[in-house]
Amino acid sequence: MKIKCILIDDEPFALDILEDDLLGFDNIEVCEKFSSPVGVADYLKNEKVDLIFSDIQMPEMLGTNFIRDLENPPLVIFTTAYHQYAVEGFELNAVDYLLKPIRKERLGAAIDKVVNLIKLKTAEPAPEEEENHIVVTSEYKKVKLLFNEIIYIEGLKDYVKIYLESRVYPLLTRSNLKGMEKKLPESKFVRIHNSFIVNSSKITGVNLSKLTLGAVEIPVGKKYIDSLPDI
């Protein structure tokens, strides 16, 4: 990973020293050097820059003010001979604040921080956890039902009965079977009849006319035969 950077400092000697030091890092590419912040904003509009090394105390403008005025600044490392700007620098979310003369080890540590930040920004987001429940309304309250608790669901026109491992009697909720089917993941539940949806993991036996869920037998509708899961 090459980190494209620019350097800003009103002292040519300081610019050259910093550039020479950065040439020792294989993952750094110095794209341009500027003796003042003037013109840098226009440069950033046209060029991709990952990192700015900026002096702070410069005649035309303070480096901190320049960074503050940028709309979407790249990562920033401030380089300065003055301690008093440290707090302001970090308030601007600077990656680091290097005091001149800059030691090579200190520069390396700052670059490591940049590498880690760029890796975090470009890393693929972790996959979202798969939903493991639905929420239904029963007896005027919301009830959370874990998928692995549900044995099967029976449709009764405008209501459904949800049979659960944790209850002797089914839970009744106002819905229809089609609506429930949309809420349930196909990977875990299967419609096997006009009136029944079953939890695939609870099936203990199956043939073309019925399937069993432990001691319970559920009829299989002819149009759903092709949907029957293997067990």
Side-chain angles (χ1 to χ4, degrees), residues 83-96:
H83 289 272
Q84 65 262 35
Y85 297 107
V87 173
E88 187 178 3
F90 286 117
E91 284 175 352
L92 291 168
N93 295 318
V95 176
D96 215 330

Side-chain angles (χ1 to χ4, degrees), residues 19-206:
E19 182 180 29
D20 286 344
D21 287 344
L22 290 171
L23 289 174
F25 295 89
D26 293 336
N27 55 351
I28 294 288
E29 179 184 345
V30 177
C31 300
E32 192 62 77
K33 296 185 295 181
F34 296 86
S35 58
S36 88
V38 177
V40 176
D42 289 334
Y43 178 87
L44 293 175
K45 289 176 185 175
N46 300 307
E47 302 293 336
K48 180 186 180 300
V49 172
D50 302 306
L51 173 64
I52 297 176
F53 285 91
S54 178
D55 187 19
I56 292 181
Q57 199 160 38
M58 294 178 281
E60 291 88 349
M61 181 189 296
L62 289 176
T64 46
N65 290 343
F66 164 68
I67 296 300
R68 187 178 287 107
D69 290 344
L70 289 177
E71 256 184 57
N72 294 298
L75 297 174
V76 178
I77 293 175
F78 285 116
T79 60
T80 181
Y82 303 95
H83 289 272
Q84 65 262 35
Y85 297 107
V87 173
E88 187 178 3
F90 286 117
E91 284 175 352
L92 291 168
N93 295 318
V95 176
D96 215 330
Y97 186 96
L98 303 179
L99 286 171
K100 300 175 184 177
I102 301 167
R103 292 179 291 111
K104 277 268 188 88
E105 338 50 286
R106 189 67 186 81
L107 181 60
I111 290 170
D112 286 344
K113 289 182 186 178
V114 172
V115 170
N116 290 332
L117 283 169
I118 290 175
K119 282 180 179 176
L120 282 173
K121 284 184 177 182
T122 57
E124 291 185 10
E128 292 183 9
E129 289 186 14
E130 188 179 354
E131 285 286 338
N132 65 350
H133 67 278
I134 56 170
V135 176
V136 299
T137 301
S138 181
E139 297 177 357
Y140 305 103
K141 62 183 178 183
K142 299 284 185 183
V143 183
K144 177 180 174 180
L145 303 178
L146 297 175
F147 292 147
N148 60 11
E149 273 191 297
I150 301 171
I151 304 170
Y152 69 99
I153 300 169
E154 181 181 3
L156 300 170
K157 206 171 181 180
D158 295 329
Y159 288 86
V160 295
K161 287 181 179 179
I162 304 174
Y163 293 81
L164 304 164
E165 289 184 336
S166 57
R167 290 173 60 114
V168 175
Y169 299 105
L171 183 146
L172 192 68
T173 183
R174 188 174 179 83
S175 179
N176 54 44
L177 212 59
K178 190 173 182 180
M180 290 298 299
E181 190 175 12
K182 288 179 181 177
K183 293 180 180 180
L184 298 167
E186 291 181 11
S187 60
K188 297 181 185 296
F189 292 86
V190 59
R191 179 87 174 261
I192 52 99
H193 190 277
N194 283 340
S195 300
F196 293 98
I197 296 170
V198 301
N199 185 331
S200 301
S201 68
K202 309 297 182 184
I203 299 172
T204 53
V206 61

Side-chain angles (χ1 to χ4, degrees), residues 1-16:
M1 176 179 61
K2 278 280 187 183
I3 299 168
K4 295 179 179 292
C5 70
I6 60 172
L7 319 181
I8 310 172
D9 201 308
D10 63 315
E11 298 177 15
F13 184 63
L15 275 177
D16 291 340

